[in-house]
Amino acid sequence: MATTTRRNFILSSALAAASATVLAACGTSGEASDGKLPAADSYPIKPDDSGTKAKWSEEEKDGYNLITQYGGATLSYSPESGLGIIQVDGYAFKDLNGNGVLDLFEDWRQSPQDRAAAWAKELSVDDELPLMLHSSVMVEEAKDLSAGGEMAVSNQFDLGVRTALSFATQGDGKSQSDWNNACQAYCEAKPNSIPFNLSTNPRDFGKFPTNLSLAASFDPELAKSVADQISKCYRAVGVTCLLGPQIDMCGEPRWSRITGAFGEDPALSRDLTRATIDGLQSTYVDGKDTGWGAESVGTQMKHFPGDGAGESGREAHGDFGKFNVYPGDNFKATLVNFLDGGLKLDDSTGQASGAMTSYSIAYSKDEEYGELVGSAYSKFKTGILRDQCGYDGLICSDWGVTDDPGGFVSTPWGVTGLTKPERFKKIIDCGLDQIGGGSDLESLKAAYDMLVSELGQDGADERIRESARRILVTYFEPGLVDNPYTDSKAAVKLLEGDELATTARDAADKCIVLLKNEGNVICERSQKPKVYVPVKYTPAQAAGATGNTATGATMKLPIEATKVADCLDIVSDTIGDPTGPADQDGKPTYQESDLTRLTADQVADCDFAIVFVDSPATGDGAIPNGDGSYTYVPKTLQYRTYTADGANVRKTSIAGDKLADGSQENRAYFGRSTTAQNESDLDSILNTVELMAGKPVVVVINASTPMVFSEFEDKVQGIVMHFGAADLPLADILGGKVEPSGLLPLQQPADMDTVEANDEDVPRDLVCHVDSAGNAYDFGFGLDWKGVIDDDRVTTYAKVAPLTEPQTVSIQL
């Protein structure tokens, strides 16, 4: 076992011999320049004597020391932590366990897999169990690691936890980099010096396109280049694990997490998945794939085996949306993105380093898709990866699956009758390696004791060691063990520089879809147009079933006029002082009468109007009754009130809990009504049409789901759809500086009847809206300045039927 003795074993002769030359950071495992790779049975290896010439140099950085080597890995460490550096064959290595010799897991010349196996063998079960907790941190910008109360990161480090998701991502590059370094130094001073693996959900660096935006480009190479840039940003602030990409197939148009995924078509999503994971995991030098390196970020493709078939579009964060259903018998199609995409990469890292399970229960009355439990508890689902595909990467549960209902995130679907230790034990039995959001070491240890009772000490230890090995591989692959520290100056230069913003803008330009362009209102222009943009008024919103908080009314110009002044000459309404009811702080809130709209005379010289709206806010599909039950209502894709009484509306839900009398709960909503929370967006469109009195009106839609266009399409001249684009890319298109090239990654339904008729697990099965120009808003449709786009992208993805199962492996259900 590793000793707790710490020594700073730096050879004075090595320092004296080191050259001042600084090489580019390597940050990964690999052979030394002389090609020698010690055999596993030769370890441990004693350090060089003082006469050996060093092949490395060391410099002091801001809070850490950096070691660069001639043909070897770059190392970093804190001189305050007590970590020792030893020299073998002229190279420097970190003495992680403080025993004064080079162990195999300390040797960066060995593969990540071999190093991880050797380290897992060295560690005790008490060391390994905390590695299985993928926790959360709320404070990221302060160097005081004790901030945050019970959730203080120092408390978690003291327990042995070494992987955590940061929910605090708004600090500048320096503060985030400094915080990472403080965390690394704290962990480095502990026995074994296991570094901190910082994970993140997808972050918005410089307004890079979202996954759904990239899907609109239909361009895997663009997705790869964006992912490559984003991985550089992550590594600049210490992030080495992305909880993503999200690659769920979105066959259900009402599902609320569509924006995080690559659209509804399995083939397009597969190719974008491959490209994105390649861009994140591989480090590219002069455009050449060098595999794992200093700019690599490990991925956890999610949410396996797909979470997008929620019944009636409800989402599995809540009990009301915990069931995925497969009325089209199309379960295998949900696997395409994972098995043909994430496990079959084009570049040299080979496959996604990790996978995250979905929350949902795959529902079938005969349990065709396994036990009726959430995916983390399903041997059927994890068996697809482990047994049928031979996947040996890390598998992590999504957040809160072991927690009792009522917590911040608590999703123990199908296992509420189990104790927490029993839940942990069931997850381990299913082959998972980490519990997402977990910090309950006591329950995990109790689960281990159950494992000992079942398998014996050796068997239980072998099972825990197996997970520890997989976890540690993800530490070694991106070079985290050797070089965990970050340069705050470099982070600031990258994250706050103009180059990043320009790159993001250029990428986003390719992800905006022009749907309607009557009279070529959107066209190449030599002079910027004068446009009227109405102020966007958003009424107060009540809290929802998923826990989103109530919000007061807001009123603002939906685009920053000064920022886009090179593209658009904007005139707008006048916002007065708020005169509405006081909020909880006693301050008056806005009401619509506080807004003075421009008159017809005032907009008469405008070239056209631009109305910025959001797609209809669908709601959760469930209203809490206050006793833990819900009243189910339709999720709507139209603005005005929708009553679910058509012929295609189910009167009996497919899925539901078993009731006390043995019957099944009915989650159907036949006859009930819903109005979009942002119905006022439609009013804004129609009011602007009236105000413009025949002059062109362009509607710009920030879409989080598909939508019904028949409420306004025939009344406007232009429609632009985007999926979270920033002001400048939108202005590039609207002002005629950039020709639109995006294509619809989602079908747009003709009405709610076709939405009700669709099968949640089947993509591209809607009757699509046909506009006044005769164009169907189908998957792959889009316009440029010349008309309907019909290029290789359309031929490759839109003119073929969607895939129904993986092509690289045959899956048995």
Side-chain angles (χ1 to χ4, degrees):
M1 294 306 303
T3 176
T4 58
T5 303
R6 310 305 313 225
R7 296 185 296 159
N8 200 16
F9 188 87
I10 301 181
L11 302 179
S12 59
S13 61
L15 288 174
S19 163
T21 305
V22 178
L23 299 181
C26 175
T28 187
S29 303
E31 291 188 10
S33 58
D34 57 11
K36 294 180 180 178
L37 192 63
D41 59 5
S42 67
Y43 291 89
I45 302 172
K46 292 182 179 181
D48 295 341
D49 60 38
S50 58
T52 303
K53 183 179 180 181
K55 303 173 183 177
W56 53 282
S57 63
E58 183 170 3
E59 63 177 313
E60 292 185 5
K61 305 288 283 187
D62 186 10
Y64 66 97
N65 284 15
L66 185 72
I67 293 174
T68 54
Q69 311 204 58
Y70 309 100
T74 297
L75 311 180
S76 60
Y77 74 101
S78 168
E80 306 299 324
S81 71
L83 178 76
I85 301 296
I86 60 177
Q87 181 178 300
V88 171
D89 297 332
Y91 293 104
F93 302 87
K94 296 166 79 167
D95 187 12
L96 299 169
N97 60 5
N99 64 0
V101 294
L102 179 64
D103 294 289
L104 190 152
F105 60 89
E106 297 166 335
D107 190 345
W108 43 258
R109 296 170 295 184
Q110 298 288 349
S111 72
Q113 290 73 23
D114 288 346
R115 294 179 73 183
W119 209 2
K121 188 175 181 180
E122 159 108 356
L123 297 174
S124 70
V125 167
D126 285 340
D127 297 323
E128 293 170 333
L129 285 172
L131 299 181
M132 299 178 71
L133 297 174
H134 196 139
S135 189
S136 304
V137 293
M138 303 294 179
V139 180
E140 186 182 88
E141 285 75 41
K143 285 189 178 182
D144 180 6
L145 303 185
S146 64
E150 290 185 7
M151 290 299 295
V153 68
S154 60
N155 291 345
Q156 298 184 56
F157 291 158
D158 291 344
L159 289 174
V161 174
R162 288 296 181 271
T163 309
L165 161 66
S166 173
F167 282 98
T169 61
Q170 301 306 312
D172 60 25
K174 177 172 172 50
S175 63
Q176 292 185 54
S177 174
D178 287 346
W179 180 84
N180 169 73
N181 291 348
C183 290
Q184 299 298 354
Y186 192 96
C187 294
E188 192 171 86
K190 297 288 184 181
N192 301 310
S193 294
I194 301 172
F196 172 42
N197 188 11
L198 175 61
S199 71
T200 185
N201 282 315
R203 297 191 186 186
D204 181 13
F205 287 111
K207 282 293 182 183
F208 275 100
T210 64
N211 281 1
L212 189 56
S213 291
L214 289 166
S217 77
F218 278 53
D219 185 350
E221 284 303 312
L222 177 65
K224 184 176 181 177
S225 67
V226 166
D228 180 37
Q229 291 298 315
I230 289 176
S231 69
K232 292 179 172 66
C233 297
Y234 285 145
R235 290 303 298 264
V237 295
V239 172
T240 41
C241 173
L242 173 65
L243 303 184
Q246 183 191 333
I247 58 174
D248 308 274
M249 186 194 76
C250 304
E252 167 49 55
R254 294 164 290 188
W255 191 50
S256 61
R257 300 191 72 180
I258 288 175
T259 53
F262 289 123
E264 67 177 307
D265 185 70
L268 177 61
S269 185
R270 172 203 63 199
D271 293 351
L272 292 169
T273 293
R274 283 179 183 161
T276 297
I277 298 178
D278 275 335
L280 288 163
Q281 290 191 168
S282 280
T283 291
Y284 302 93
V285 178
D286 296 327
K288 180 182 178 182
D289 168 30
T290 63
W292 291 102
E295 294 174 354
S296 298
V297 173
T299 62
Q300 288 190 11
M301 54 180 182
K302 65 182 186 184
H303 308 85
F304 187 84
D307 212 18
E311 185 170 18
S312 299
R314 294 187 291 264
E315 204 281 317
H317 270 80
D319 179 277
F320 55 83
K322 65 186 176 185
F323 293 111
N324 268 211
V325 295
Y326 306 92
D329 195 25
N330 207 34
F331 176 85
K332 289 183 179 180
T334 69
L335 301 173
V336 170
N337 307 336
F338 297 92
L339 307 188
D340 289 350
L343 298 191
K344 302 291 182 181
L345 302 183
D346 291 327
D347 283 352
S348 59
T349 64
Q351 61 183 14
S353 61
M356 178 182 287
T357 56
S358 68
Y359 283 136
S360 55
I361 297 170
Y363 186 83
S364 170
K365 284 186 177 180
D366 61 3
E367 298 192 6
E368 178 183 2
Y369 313 116
E371 185 182 1
L372 298 182
V373 291
S375 298
Y377 300 99
S378 172
K379 283 189 176 181
F380 166 78
K381 291 181 180 178
T382 54
I384 293 173
L385 280 177
R386 292 285 191 227
D387 303 329
Q388 297 197 50
C389 296
Y391 182 63
D392 194 38
L394 182 151
I395 303 179
C396 181
S397 77
D398 208 335
W399 259 234
V401 298
T402 59
D403 294 338
D404 293 324
F408 173 63
V409 177
S410 49
T411 56
W413 311 141
V415 295
T416 53
L418 300 182
T419 65
K420 282 191 176 182
E422 288 171 337
R423 294 173 196 167
F424 277 79
K425 167 67 162 52
K426 190 173 179 68
I427 286 174
I428 294 171
D429 287 343
C430 287
L432 273 72
D433 305 301
Q434 285 189 325
I435 292 89
S439 58
D440 186 355
L441 185 57
E442 182 178 344
S443 290
L444 180 56
K445 287 182 175 180
Y448 166 74
D449 291 339
M450 295 178 189
L451 207 62
V452 171
S453 298
E454 180 180 310
L455 303 177
Q457 188 76 56
D458 290 344
D461 289 357
E462 182 179 357
R463 171 63 190 88
I464 299 304
R465 188 174 300 117
E466 180 181 51
S467 282
R469 173 185 59 79
R470 294 188 187 118
I471 293 164
L472 290 170
V473 167
T474 69
Y475 285 51
F476 284 114
E477 283 174 333
L480 176 63
V481 176
D482 299 314
N483 186 17
Y485 292 84
T486 53
D487 185 333
S488 62
K489 292 181 180 178
V492 170
K493 182 179 180 181
L494 173 64
L495 299 181
E496 300 177 20
D498 292 337
E499 183 177 350
L500 189 70
T502 299
T503 302
R505 178 178 179 176
D506 290 344
D509 282 340
K510 300 177 176 65
C511 303
I512 296 169
V513 186
L514 179 60
L515 294 178
K516 187 173 184 179
N517 195 24
E518 184 179 313
N520 291 324
V521 61
I522 306 298
C523 60
E524 185 175 15
R525 294 176 181 269
S526 57
Q527 292 184 330
K528 63 182 177 181
K530 183 176 183 179
V531 297
Y532 165 58
V533 178
V535 164
K536 185 175 177 64
Y537 170 70
T538 304
Q541 302 291 329
T546 51
N548 53 298
T549 57
T551 58
T554 60
M555 183 176 295
K556 64 178 182 179
L557 188 66
I559 189 169
E560 193 171 332
T562 55
K563 181 182 290 187
V564 301
D566 288 344
C567 301
L568 299 170
D569 179 11
I570 293 176
V571 297
S572 191
D573 311 311
T574 301
I575 301 174
D577 294 330
T579 61
D583 61 18
Q584 61 184 8
D585 297 322
K587 297 180 179 179
T589 58
Y590 280 111
Q591 54 188 354
E592 198 161 10
S593 59
D594 299 328
L595 184 62
T596 302
R597 297 286 187 189
L598 293 185
T599 66
D601 288 342
Q602 291 172 315
V603 300
D605 62 342
C606 290
D607 294 293
F608 54 93
I610 307 174
V611 185
F612 289 85
V613 300
D614 296 321
S615 56
T618 64
D620 296 317
I623 301 172
N625 294 324
D627 59 358
S629 66
Y630 299 91
T631 296
Y632 292 91
V633 295
K635 288 168 67 73
T636 181
L637 300 183
Q638 66 184 43
Y639 290 112
R640 298 294 191 221
T641 300
Y642 165 62
T643 300
D645 56 4
N648 295 317
V649 180
R650 295 175 188 142
K651 295 183 179 179
T652 302
S653 62
I654 295 174
D657 286 323
K658 285 291 180 65
L659 302 178
D661 62 2
S663 64
Q664 179 175 295
E665 169 197 23
N666 186 7
R667 296 185 169 206
Y669 46 76
F670 183 85
R672 299 192 181 115
S673 301
T674 298
T675 305
Q677 295 170 340
N678 59 331
E679 182 185 12
S680 59
D681 279 357
L682 178 58
D683 294 328
S684 182
I685 295 170
L686 299 179
N687 291 339
T688 303
V689 169
E690 183 178 357
L691 175 67
M692 295 302 290
K695 299 201 75 170
V697 174
V698 175
V699 177
V700 177
I701 305 160
N702 185 4
S704 55
T705 62
M707 61 184 289
V708 174
F709 278 88
S710 57
E711 293 179 299
F712 67 87
E713 175 271 314
D714 61 347
K715 300 174 179 64
V716 302
Q717 289 67 47
I719 299 176
V720 172
M721 180 171 270
H722 68 102
F723 309 95
D727 288 353
L728 286 171
L730 288 171
D732 288 338
I733 301 294
L734 295 165
K737 281 197 167 187
V738 172
E739 185 171 19
S741 61
L743 304 170
L744 280 177
L746 303 164
Q747 291 182 315
Q748 306 299 312
D751 50 40
M752 284 301 297
D753 284 339
T754 186
V755 173
E756 296 288 5
N758 105 100
D759 289 331
E760 287 89 338
D761 58 326
V762 177
R764 297 166 54 185
D765 64 344
L766 298 176
V767 176
C768 296
H769 176 79
V770 177
D771 70 11
S772 58
N775 292 318
Y777 292 179
D778 205 344
F779 173 77
F781 172 74
L783 302 172
D784 57 21
W785 290 334
K786 297 175 288 295
V788 176
I789 298 171
D790 187 7
D791 56 18
D792 290 344
R793 298 173 300 161
V794 178
T795 300
T796 299
Y797 296 110
K799 292 186 178 181
V800 294
L803 296 171
T804 57
E805 61 183 340
Q807 305 297 292
T808 61
V809 60
S810 178
I811 297 299
Q812 303 300 314
L813 299 183

